[in-house]
């Protein structure tokens, strides 16, 4: 394995550890999030995004990494988001939490992981069909929110931080 792979493995293990310590692997937290009654998972995800977006953008500006967007394809986002949400609702796990739950010894998470593997295989098989149907629905190309809004990336990051911190205050005020 090369250095990038070792760093990826170490980062994944650390993230899994934080998932476990944040108790977001718990089924009651997953259901609470889906019912909008417990914002622990949303707060964990937003905190990860806040730290990650500053770190990644900083590394990019230092020339250490190169950023490249995936194409913004409405069909892919709608279909993929629907499948992701349905899988989460049925299994009570997203991809990261299913692997973390398995790491905690919850063997039923294997069903979620198997479902993801089967889903990936089905996607690979029907990809040629998707290229001529779903993936042709309104493709905006490789664009991010700052480019779409015509704003500085750091301004968008600052706005995201501000909105997220306000959300955190609201959640705490309401006991979520």
């Amino acid at each position: 394995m090369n250095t990038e792979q070792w760093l990826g493995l170490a980062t994944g293990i650390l993230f899994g550890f934080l998932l476990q310590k944040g108790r977001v692997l718990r089924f009651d937290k997953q259901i609470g999030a889906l019912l909008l009654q417990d914002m622990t998972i949303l707060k964990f995800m937003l905190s990860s995004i806040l730290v990650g977006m500053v770190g990644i953008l900083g590394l990019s500006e230092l020339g250490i990494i190169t950023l490249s967007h995936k194409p913004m394809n409405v069909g892919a986002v709608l279909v993929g988001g629907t499948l992701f949400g349905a899988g989460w609702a049925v299994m009570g796990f997203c991809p990261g939490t299913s692997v973390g739950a398995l790491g905690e010894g919850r063997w039923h998470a294997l069903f979620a992981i198997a479902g993801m593997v089967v889903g990936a295989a089905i996607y690979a098989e029907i990809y040629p069909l998707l290229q001529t149907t779903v993936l042709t629905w309104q493709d905006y190309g490789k664009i991010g929110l700052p480019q779409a809004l015509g704003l500085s990336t750091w301004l968008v990051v600052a706005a995201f931080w501000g909105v997220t911190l306000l959300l955190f205050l609201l959640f705490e005020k309401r006991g979520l």
Side-chain angles (χ1 to χ4, degrees):
M1 284 197 331
N2 64 31
T3 303
E4 288 179 358
Q5 291 170 324
W6 282 111
L7 287 172
L9 178 63
T11 303
I13 291 170
L14 176 62
F15 191 68
F17 174 78
L18 293 173
L19 284 171
Q20 198 278 332
K21 284 298 183 189
R23 302 187 52 83
V24 298
L25 302 175
R26 301 281 179 220
F27 185 73
D28 60 312
K29 297 292 183 186
Q30 297 288 325
I31 296 304
L34 290 170
L35 296 174
L36 302 176
Q37 295 173 344
D38 185 336
M39 295 297 134
T40 302
I41 291 175
L42 182 60
K43 290 187 282 189
F44 184 89
M45 289 182 345
L46 287 172
S47 298
S48 300
I49 291 168
L50 291 176
V51 172
M53 69 181 1
V54 170
I56 288 170
L57 189 55
L59 290 172
S60 174
E61 289 199 357
L62 291 172
I64 297 172
I65 63 171
T66 303
L67 292 180
S68 178
H69 294 287
K70 294 259 186 198
M72 172 44 193
N73 180 284
V74 174
V77 170
L78 290 176
V79 173
T82 300
L83 290 172
F84 178 89
W88 187 18
V90 169
M91 291 306 304
F93 294 113
C94 70
T97 58
S98 64
V99 174
L102 181 63
E104 280 190 332
R106 290 200 235 130
W107 297 104
H108 64 281
L110 280 172
F111 292 105
I113 295 167
M116 288 182 275
V117 171
V118 169
I122 292 170
Y123 177 79
E125 285 299 314
I126 66 170
Y127 185 73
L129 173 66
L130 295 175
Q131 282 183 301
T132 59
T133 56
V134 174
L135 297 178
T136 63
W137 303 350
Q138 200 59 46
D139 189 343
Y140 289 100
K142 294 185 175 194
I143 188 169
L145 187 59
Q147 295 81 25
L149 297 174
L151 298 172
S152 155
T153 303
W154 283 108
L155 182 61
V156 172
V157 168
F160 189 82
W161 268 78
V163 169
T164 301
L165 292 176
L166 287 174
L167 267 175
F168 285 176
L169 288 172
L170 177 70
F171 294 157
E172 291 304 312
K173 185 177 182 179
R174 295 196 175 175
L176 298 172

